[in-house]
């Protein structure tokens, strides 16, 4: 995910780092705190269980990926344990109202926070991403596949995960009938109204075509 890429790119700048999906933060504050510290590292080395050895007021990089409303208070509480002015908190959510609540405040000063709305990829960028996964030499695919390339890319709706999965599924596949079958399956999945359910329906296209091995 984009959040994971940001995390990997920034780790070296901080004393302590933690990347954790919101789905792993369950229960009351203490339970969520234990889950977070079980995924926390100090300069690349995992910290002691429970976080007892974590030095408070240190520079901390925390990424909470795909959070829910219940995690907002947890973010506030955790941020007060570290040097908030020199730490970084990155949260992602599919609900903008949740992101608007995540204005992290330290004990001594307000710290600026911004919400970035991540749009889908353009058709041009979608096609480039798809082709890097679908072809060993993305600049020279078989001419008979160009029509299916453009149509399948359009059905992926600019979503990087779908583009990567479908590109990988079709990698080195030169049989036009397979591409046509894939397109029609994506087209059928596109009839699902709910966005999240439609996303999973499209990913299911490649899963359903896996052989037993």
């Amino acid at each position: 995910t984009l959040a994971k890429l940001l995390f990997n790119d920034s780790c070296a700048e901080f004393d302590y780092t933690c990347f954790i999906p919101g789905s792993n933060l369950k229960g009351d504050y203490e339970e969520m705190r234990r889950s977070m510290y079980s995924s926390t590292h100090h300069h690349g080395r995992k910290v002691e269980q429970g976080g007892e050895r974590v030095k408070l007021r240190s520079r901390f990089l925390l990424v909470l990926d795909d959070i829910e409303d219940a995690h907002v208070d947890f973010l506030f509480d955790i941020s007060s344990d570290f040097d908030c002015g020199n730490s970084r908190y990155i949260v992602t959510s599919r609900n903008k109202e949740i992101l608007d609540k995540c204005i992290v405040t330290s004990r001594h000063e307000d710290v600026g926070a911004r919400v970035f709305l991540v749009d889908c990829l353009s058709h041009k960028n979608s096609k480039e991403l798809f082709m890097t996964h679908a072809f060993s030499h993305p600049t020279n695919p078989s001419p008979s596949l160009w029509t299916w390339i453009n149509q399948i890319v359009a059905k992926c709706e600019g979503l990087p995960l779908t583009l990567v999965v479908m590109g990988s599924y079709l990698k080195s596949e030169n049989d036009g009938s397979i591409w046509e079958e894939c397109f029609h399956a994506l087209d059928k999945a596109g009839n699902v109204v709910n966005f999240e359910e439609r996303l999973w329906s499209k990913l299911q296209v490649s899963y359903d075509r896996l052989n037993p091995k």
Side-chain angles (χ1 to χ4, degrees):
T1 65
L2 181 60
K4 186 65 172 177
L5 289 173
L6 288 171
F7 177 80
N8 291 341
D9 192 53
S10 305
C11 277
E13 303 173 26
F14 297 88
D15 303 315
Y16 291 91
T17 58
C18 175
F19 179 96
I20 185 167
S23 59
N24 289 0
L25 293 175
K26 300 177 181 177
D28 59 20
Y29 171 78
E30 286 302 322
E31 289 177 291
M32 288 193 283
R33 184 177 181 274
R34 285 194 294 270
S35 295
M36 186 198 76
Y37 280 122
S38 69
S39 299
T40 298
H41 292 75
H42 180 229
H43 296 302
R45 299 184 64 180
K46 198 167 186 178
V47 301
E48 297 289 335
Q49 184 67 31
E52 293 84 358
R53 299 292 182 87
V54 173
K55 295 180 180 179
L56 301 183
R57 314 305 296 165
S58 299
R59 300 177 71 246
F60 187 37
L61 171 63
L62 173 63
V63 178
L64 303 180
D65 196 18
D66 197 15
I67 67 169
E68 299 178 0
D69 196 60
H71 300 131
V72 175
D73 288 339
F74 174 75
L75 177 63
F76 275 99
D77 293 335
I78 286 296
S79 67
S80 66
D81 287 342
F82 294 88
D83 181 0
C84 192
N86 292 305
S87 295
R88 183 176 300 165
Y89 303 90
I90 301 173
V91 298
T92 68
S93 177
R94 284 166 283 184
N95 186 332
K96 185 177 181 296
E97 292 182 3
I98 292 176
L99 296 177
D100 289 335
K101 295 179 182 178
C102 295
I103 306 300
V104 180
T105 305
S106 72
R107 290 170 176 165
H108 304 295
E109 60 180 342
D110 289 338
V111 177
R114 291 185 62 185
V115 174
F116 295 90
L117 300 180
V118 181
D119 204 355
C120 295
L121 298 178
S122 66
H123 182 80
K124 178 182 178 182
N125 290 337
S126 295
K127 188 174 178 178
E128 181 179 343
L129 177 61
F130 173 82
M131 291 183 67
T132 59
H133 289 272
F135 300 100
S136 300
H137 304 286
T139 58
N140 190 32
S142 171
S144 63
L145 299 179
W146 273 111
T147 298
W148 299 119
I149 290 172
N150 288 315
Q151 293 188 72
I152 288 173
V153 166
K155 290 298 178 183
C156 291
E157 300 184 78
L159 296 173
L161 178 60
T162 311
L163 291 158
V164 169
V165 168
M166 298 314 303
S168 299
Y169 163 62
L170 292 167
K171 188 174 181 65
S172 303
E173 181 58 69
N174 292 316
D175 186 347
S177 64
I178 301 296
W179 285 70
E180 182 178 5
E181 179 184 317
C182 178
F183 166 75
H184 289 302
L186 289 172
D187 186 50
K188 181 179 180 181
N191 293 327
V192 178
V193 176
N194 180 275
F195 178 80
E196 188 170 338
E197 292 179 5
R198 187 166 70 251
L199 166 62
W200 288 112
S201 293
K202 292 189 176 185
L203 296 178
Q204 188 81 22
V205 170
S206 65
Y207 177 82
D208 288 342
R209 284 155 179 76
L210 292 174
N211 61 46
K213 183 178 179 180

